[in-house]
Amino acid sequence: MASLAIKATNLAKWFGEGDARTMAVKSVSFEASFGEILYIVGPSGSGKTTLLSMISGILKPNSGTVLVEDRDIWKMESDELADFRLNKIGFVFQDYHLFSNLTTVENVAIPLILKKNDWNQSLKVASEYLKIVGLEKRAELPPVKLSGGEQQRVAIARAIASRPDILIFDEPTASLDGDTGRKILEFVREHILNETRCIIIVTHDSRIFEYAHRIIHMEDGRIIGEEHEK
Amino acid sequence: MNGILRIAFKLLVNDRGKFTALLVGITFAVFLMVMMTSMFAGILSRSSSTVTNIGAKMWVLDPAVNNVSSSIPVPDYVKDAVRSIDGVRYAVPLYSGGAQVKLANGIYQAVTVIGLDDASLFGRPELIEGEIEDIYAENGFVVVQDAEISKLGNPRIGTKFEINDHRGVVVGIAKANISGLFGIPTLYTTFNRAISYLPSTRFTASYILVEPKSTSDIPHIKQAVSKLGYQALTDDEFVQKISNFYKYQTGLGINVMLMTAISFIVGLSISGQTFYTFILENLEKFGALKAIGAKGHELVSMILFQAGFTAFLGYGLGVGLASLIIMSAKLRMPDYAAQITNLNLGIAFVMVLIIAGISSYIGIRRVIRIEPFDIFRG
Ligand SMILES: Nc1ncnc2c1ncn2[C@@H]1O[C@H](COP(=O)(O)OP(=O)(O)OP(=O)(O)O)[C@@H](O)[C@H]1O
Ligand SMILES: [Mg+2]
């Protein structure tokens, strides 16, 4: 049995106060293991992004705990939490958030540079990751010159360049056509996943459900069901 | 360079449009501040040119005098009294006043006449042509070869002219020192000739120049002179008194300070505004960096670096531009009164630091408050 990467217990998050209060996530508990690709799916507004943010050290829950490799991340100081995000988590944001004023390879190098690696060394490592996602020829271009699918792959290269244990994707295929989306997921499953990695993907996109090991269904801030790979 | 700062640098300079706008704003502000204060410094230094050129250690004057050219005559008994003060090596009179010169072609020209003590010629200029002793010759005047000499028709030794209905002849050409404020030529002659050729009151000396035996005698001399109802100042104090007069008691100083303040405000608003827009447009990037794991103080250092880099570059360009303009103006107009002093550079530098400080402060406040969650939600 693979070891436990994340254990979330009774997570709850609300926004606003009084009449304006929205319960985005209501008492959610789940676990994720290394070596698996876990999907979180559900209708818009069901609290998926909120949940992802809480388990990745970006948004503080109102109640509940998040243990990552047995450490309670919400007991950490803010600098410690920043280090946690930098070292343990790789993000692929929904709209990539690539830096248009940097070259593609510099974009990929950002987490390495934040980890205080030497600039040239970071670029060297980054270009190896660009090669993994098949974009070594685009290294010196600004990301805006790349197609949507290519930008997605740059975002993935950036997320994995710091060798995080946990990869978090929010709607990775929302702005891609079906073929490109499937190709990216195939790529993730074949080249990015390994026994020491846990990949959590939030998506609406049923075209890529086949790449999941396990799918958690959310609705209205709660988990309403779970299915395993057949 | 630290990698994080290098990212900050690239985010800044690769945003060509905004970076240029920022630089132009700061450069322009620095340029204006340096120009204004340099022109003022030039004017100030000229306003006390006579004090500097004469080179006496101490000046005795009527306390009401606040600039060299409007001197108030000092009675002879003051000179004698000063001579008998302990610690005074010697004391000589100096005449300084205006006159009309009528050139050979019939044109009138205002001049400043300086009358040197007949016995010592104390405060004499350095001559480039002729001998200083010739100043004793009949009707002898020494003319200063400065930017204004052309107004006398570029006289040579032997050139004759009329001065307040008396005859004058050029007996020497003196090296230019600091020119005066009013753009008129300067003539030197002896004290006695000055007071006999030029209209004067019952009292004749404009100033008494004092050479103390040693600097430790200065306080004592000052005290003794003030008992006479007069004021004794060291040359530096006199220059300062004149400067203060122009700074605080004429419209000139106030206007220059206003213009400097306006340049500062214009620079601050252009640069502050542009920098804030730059930060706002990059907020998403700072948020992404924060989400990826940049710490608060790292984001702060990025912003400080961006603001500081632009400010120093703008400062350099502004100072460079001002120097260039002043230099080329001086080439065309030797008389152009502007000088860049360390004080001016310092003032502009402090202003630029304030601009950078305020700009980064508002940027930092925004960036510190970004919620990476908002970036994450897209
Ligand atoms: N900052 C916020 N302020 C107020 N309400 C918020 C905020 N963030 C999220 N919400 C609310 O919380 C609920 C859950 O939002 P969340 O973004 O987690 O949903 P989601 O499942 O990711 O939706 P989608 O599929 O559209 O991305 C929504 O009702 C949303 O309006
Ligand atoms: Mg979402």
Side-chain angles (χ1 to χ4, degrees), chain A residues 15 22 24 43-50 171 204, chain B residues 373-374 377:
Chain A
F15 297 101
T22 358
S44 181
S46 57
K48 307 179 299 288
T49 300
T50 309
E171 309 275 8
H204 276 118
Chain B
F373 176 58
D374 297 331
R377 285 180 69 205

